[in-house]
């Protein structure tokens, strides 16, 4: 059936601004001269600006034919809405909208991601999702010098050619010496096989677990998320049955970083980051130190595990070597993990997890939810089916930092190993718990560190409250609240707090930001400033504060003679 003719369309209802607005997008009806003439659009913008008391300017024509109008600076949402009302009242305008910002949707859809507390939890997570809008590690290769790699579908896309440096065919279990196949053949051993009194052990698939923390495929609707999921993993096999030799390990360091090893083909994809979740007793010797110094000289950052002996890390190598980032392990509660080595030689802490308590029998798993979940294999000796399993250890902490180093290097390719180490330490946050013996600069913070080296600004969502709140003269403090939800982990190190307070004497005011946990950040103290109003954006280091929850802007007038009100305020994460 034919429908009745529709009435002439009015200007479309436009979105209401919820954040400060710099530009408007104005769509004119095809019959309007402003739709065809830039001069006409410019004259119209200036005229509407005069009516609204603002300085408007036609900026350019979009590919859709709409006009981009510059508001002459950031306008508060209410003021921008007034300008938009001028356009909406014009019958020649089809629509008007704020030129809003869009953000990368970095939260992954990996099925086990919710269990990866080490990436995002406010108490002891490493604040990784906050870095993903800036960098995912693309273009960086991370060498995992370890047991090699057992095939896993959640890693395969991010694995590049590596090498097997195990000289002993017995230890390697592959029937030969060194070769270009770094496949993990299993590191199981029988009782007494690795020395008098040694116990039997199953294959660990240790290198695959470490690799998953660094760069498991992410956003693929399965498994876990890797910290630097845009990076590539280079498996370099040095550990087999009963561990690995220093001579093999230092050759692996040399080759992985692009150096030359006699009898071994050149590395076609040298690594800019090396992870060594391995070590033994004894202070660093010249063999290790010379190889590490050369690798760093080639521009490769070397990350090592502190060790799991609850002892001073100065008695272990390569943890005690110079020119490395020495990583201790923290627990889900934010304490030093009970097993982690410690000391003044530690550079940084990262999540290592605790799948058991210090009083539990070794080898038991009593608190799997507190471990570090990553890629693994079900085989007790030789490879079997792929799976995911939580481990604990400084071996799990180190790849968190190696992943962060990859994120940094991808975001700013000119960074040197020394600059990477310095930035990680300078932007760490205090452990939520305690660290007896020393855990270096604190807990590594990925978002804060990446932001520091790139000079970037927060790119997360904006939340706003535009309801007026009266400020009594020389009276009690008043608050305006914003409930934040859907933000992963902690707030950023440069949380933007946009404030619009109308008051004839702003020096009378004390202004605070109150976090969901009650932490108070002073934005402004009272002063002799006789100017009116506070219309500005403050930058607050909120990296130690959980993002989700109710935030409050608290304002108090501490002098007599005038009143005002909170017009609006907002948070940009």
């Amino acid at each position: 059936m034919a429908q009745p003719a529709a009435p002439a369309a009015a200007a479309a209802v436009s979105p209401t601004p919820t954040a400060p607005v710099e530009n408007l997008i104005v769509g004119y009806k095809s019959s309007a001269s402003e739709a065809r003439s830039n001069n006409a659009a410019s004259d119209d913008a200036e005229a509407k600006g005069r009516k609204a008391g603002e300085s408007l300017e036609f900026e350019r024509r979009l590919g859709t034919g709409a006009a981009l109008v510059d508001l002459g600076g950031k306008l508060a949402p209410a003021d921008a809405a007034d300008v938009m009302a001028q356009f909406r009242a014009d019958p020649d305008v089809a629509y008007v909208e704020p030129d809003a910002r869009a953000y990368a949707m970095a939260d992954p859809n990996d099925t086990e991601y919710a269990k990866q507390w080490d990436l995002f939890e406010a108490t002891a997570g490493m604040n990784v999702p906050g870095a993903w809008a800036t960098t995912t590690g693309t273009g960086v290769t991370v060498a995992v010098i370890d047991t090699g790699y057992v095939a896993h579908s959640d890693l395969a896309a991010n694995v590049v050619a590596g090498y097997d440096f195990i000289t002993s065919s017995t230890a390697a279990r592959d029937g030969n010496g060194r070769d270009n196949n770094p496949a993990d053949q299993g590191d199981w051993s029988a009782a007494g096989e690795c020395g008098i009194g040694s116990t039997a052990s199953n294959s660990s698939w240790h290198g695959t677990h470490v690799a998953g923390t660094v760069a498991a495929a992410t956003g693929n609707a399965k498994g876990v998320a890797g910290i630097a999921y845009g990076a590539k993993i280079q498996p370099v096999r040095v550990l087999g049955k009963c561990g690995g030799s220093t001579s093999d390990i230092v050759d692996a360091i040399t080759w992985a970083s692009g150096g030359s090893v006699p009898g071994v083909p050149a590395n076609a994809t040298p690594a800019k980051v090396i992870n060594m979740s391995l070590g033994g007793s004894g202070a660093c010797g010249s063999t290790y130190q010379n190889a590490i110094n050369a690798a760093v000289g080639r521009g490769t950052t070397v990350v090592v595990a502190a060790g799991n002996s609850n002892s001073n890390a100065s008695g272990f190598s390569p943890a005690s070597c110079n020119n490395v980032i020495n990583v201790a392990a923290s627990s889900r509660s934010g304490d030093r993990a009970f097993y982690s080595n410690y000391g003044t030689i530690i550079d940084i802490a990262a999540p290592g997890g605790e799948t058991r308590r210090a009083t539990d029998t070794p080898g038991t798993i009593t608190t799997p939810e507190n471990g570090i979940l990553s890629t693994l294999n079900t085989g007790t000796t030789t490879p079997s089916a792929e799976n995911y399993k939580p481990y604990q250890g400084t071996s799990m902490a180190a790849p968190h930092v190696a992943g962060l180093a990859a994120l940094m290097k991808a975001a700013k390719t000119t960074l040197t190993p020394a600059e990477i180490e310095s930035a990680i330490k300078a932007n760490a946050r205090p452990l939520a718990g305690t660290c007896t013996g020393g855990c270096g600069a604190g807990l590594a913070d990925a978002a804060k560190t990446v932001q520091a080296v790139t000079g970037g600004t927060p790119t997360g969502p904006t939340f706003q409250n535009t309801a007026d709140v009266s400020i009594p003269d020389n009276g009690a403090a008043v608050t305006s609240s914003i409930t934040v939800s859907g933000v992963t982990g902690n707030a950023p190190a440069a949380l933007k707090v946009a404030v619009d307070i109308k008051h004839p004497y702003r020096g009378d005011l004390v202004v605070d930001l109150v976090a969901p946990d009650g932490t108070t950040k002073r934005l402004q103290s009272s002063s002799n400033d006789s100017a009116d109003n506070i219309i500005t954006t403050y930058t607050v280091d909120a990296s130690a504060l959980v993002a989700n929850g109710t935030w409050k802007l608290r304002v108090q007038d501490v002098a007599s003679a005038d009143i005002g009100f909170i017009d609006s305020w907002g948070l940009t994460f």
Side-chain angles (χ1 to χ4, degrees):
M1 294 177 60
Q3 296 293 319
V13 176
S14 57
T16 301
T18 58
V21 181
E22 292 186 67
N23 300 302
L24 295 177
I25 298 172
V26 181
Y28 290 96
K29 295 178 182 177
S30 58
S31 57
S33 60
E34 292 88 350
R36 302 182 300 275
S37 166
N38 288 350
N39 288 335
S42 178
D43 291 343
D44 187 54
E46 291 175 5
K48 287 181 170 58
R50 287 193 294 270
K51 289 182 181 179
E54 304 290 348
S55 179
L56 272 57
E57 182 177 338
F58 171 79
E59 182 74 18
R60 61 184 170 88
R61 186 77 61 177
L62 304 187
T64 61
L68 186 67
V69 175
D70 187 338
L71 299 180
K74 285 187 177 181
L75 293 188
D79 295 330
D82 290 343
V83 175
M84 293 172 67
Q86 295 291 331
F87 282 99
R88 280 199 301 270
D90 186 341
D92 286 334
V93 172
Y95 64 90
V96 56
E97 298 175 350
D99 187 14
R101 299 195 66 79
Y103 303 96
M105 298 300 180
D107 283 355
N109 62 3
D110 302 71
T111 54
E112 303 297 309
Y113 175 67
K115 300 176 183 177
Q116 292 183 271
W117 62 267
D118 47 307
L119 303 191
F120 58 77
E121 276 193 357
T123 299
M126 222 174 75
N127 202 11
V128 174
W132 284 336
T134 302
T135 172
T136 62
T138 301
V140 177
T141 298
V142 179
V144 175
I145 299 180
D146 213 292
T147 64
Y149 165 66
V150 61
H152 200 293
S153 62
D154 211 8
L155 268 171
N158 285 343
V159 174
V160 297
Y163 208 81
D164 179 0
F165 275 89
I166 300 178
T167 305
S168 166
S169 60
T170 301
R173 287 198 166 103
D174 59 3
N176 55 32
R178 293 180 173 180
D179 58 39
N180 62 0
N181 181 9
D184 190 342
Q185 305 294 333
D187 58 353
W188 84 93
S189 62
E193 194 172 10
C194 296
I196 297 174
S198 66
T199 58
S201 63
N202 292 332
S203 290
S204 65
W205 317 115
H206 189 273
T208 301
H209 196 281
V210 168
T213 296
V214 176
T218 301
N220 60 344
K222 68 177 293 182
V224 295
I227 289 172
Y229 60 83
K232 298 299 182 184
I233 292 292
Q234 184 168 72
V236 186
R237 190 174 183 229
V238 297
L239 303 178
K241 183 177 69 172
C242 304
S245 67
T246 297
S247 58
D248 286 346
I249 294 169
V250 298
D251 274 355
I253 294 170
T254 302
W255 180 85
S257 60
S260 177
V261 176
V264 179
N267 186 352
T269 54
K272 286 304 177 184
V273 181
I274 285 174
N275 185 90
M276 287 194 289
S277 291
L278 51 77
S281 60
C284 182
S286 297
T287 303
Y288 263 129
Q289 193 62 70
N290 290 342
I292 289 168
N293 288 347
V296 171
R298 297 182 195 102
T300 300
T301 298
V302 180
V303 180
V304 301
N308 301 330
S309 300
N310 189 26
S311 302
N312 195 307
S314 62
F316 297 80
S317 60
S320 60
C321 294
N322 296 322
N323 269 343
V324 302
I325 302 178
N326 184 340
V327 187
S330 57
S331 68
R332 192 171 185 176
S333 61
D335 301 294
R336 175 173 67 86
F338 70 85
Y339 54 78
S340 177
N341 286 352
Y342 51 80
T344 57
I345 203 166
I346 300 294
D347 292 307
I348 197 73
E354 288 182 340
T355 62
R356 66 180 181 89
R357 298 176 290 268
T359 54
D360 289 336
T361 302
T364 60
I365 295 181
T366 54
T367 55
E369 69 278 7
N370 294 336
I372 306 301
L373 188 66
S374 189
T375 46
L376 212 65
N377 192 276
T378 62
T380 56
T381 54
T382 57
S384 185
E386 66 177 46
N387 70 341
Y388 303 88
K389 188 176 178 179
Y391 273 180
Q392 67 176 23
T394 57
S395 284
M396 285 60 255
H400 283 77
V401 175
L404 172 54
L407 293 177
M408 297 165 68
K409 187 68 176 177
K412 188 175 182 181
T413 58
T414 58
L415 287 173
T416 66
E419 289 170 336
I420 287 173
E421 178 180 347
S422 177
I424 290 173
K425 288 155 59 170
N427 292 284
R429 67 182 194 267
L431 287 169
T434 60
C435 177
T436 53
C439 285
L443 181 67
D445 187 305
K448 185 177 179 183
T449 305
V450 167
Q451 183 181 314
V453 299
T454 59
T457 56
T459 57
T462 294
F463 300 83
Q464 191 165 45
N465 188 335
T466 59
D468 293 349
V469 177
S470 297
I471 305 169
D473 183 32
N474 195 21
V478 297
T479 61
S480 176
S481 300
I482 290 175
T483 299
V484 174
S485 62
V487 179
T488 303
N490 283 10
L495 176 67
K496 299 298 183 183
V497 186
V499 173
D500 186 346
I501 299 174
K502 301 298 193 291
H503 196 280
Y505 197 95
R506 65 188 181 203
D508 288 358
L509 303 179
V510 176
V511 184
D512 294 313
L513 176 68
V514 183
D517 68 354
T519 300
T520 299
K521 298 284 188 177
R522 177 59 50 90
L523 303 180
Q524 175 181 293
S525 299
S526 59
S527 67
N528 293 322
D529 188 347
S530 60
D532 63 355
N533 303 332
I534 301 175
I535 304 176
T536 190
T537 299
Y538 300 97
T539 300
V540 175
D541 182 356
S543 59
L545 304 173
V546 64
N548 291 335
T550 300
W551 295 75
K552 297 177 181 178
L553 185 72
R554 186 172 63 199
V555 183
Q556 184 175 15
D557 185 336
V558 297
S560 300
D562 38 45
I563 60 173
F565 64 97
I566 303 172
D567 191 349
S568 64
W569 72 288
L571 297 169
T572 300
F573 287 82

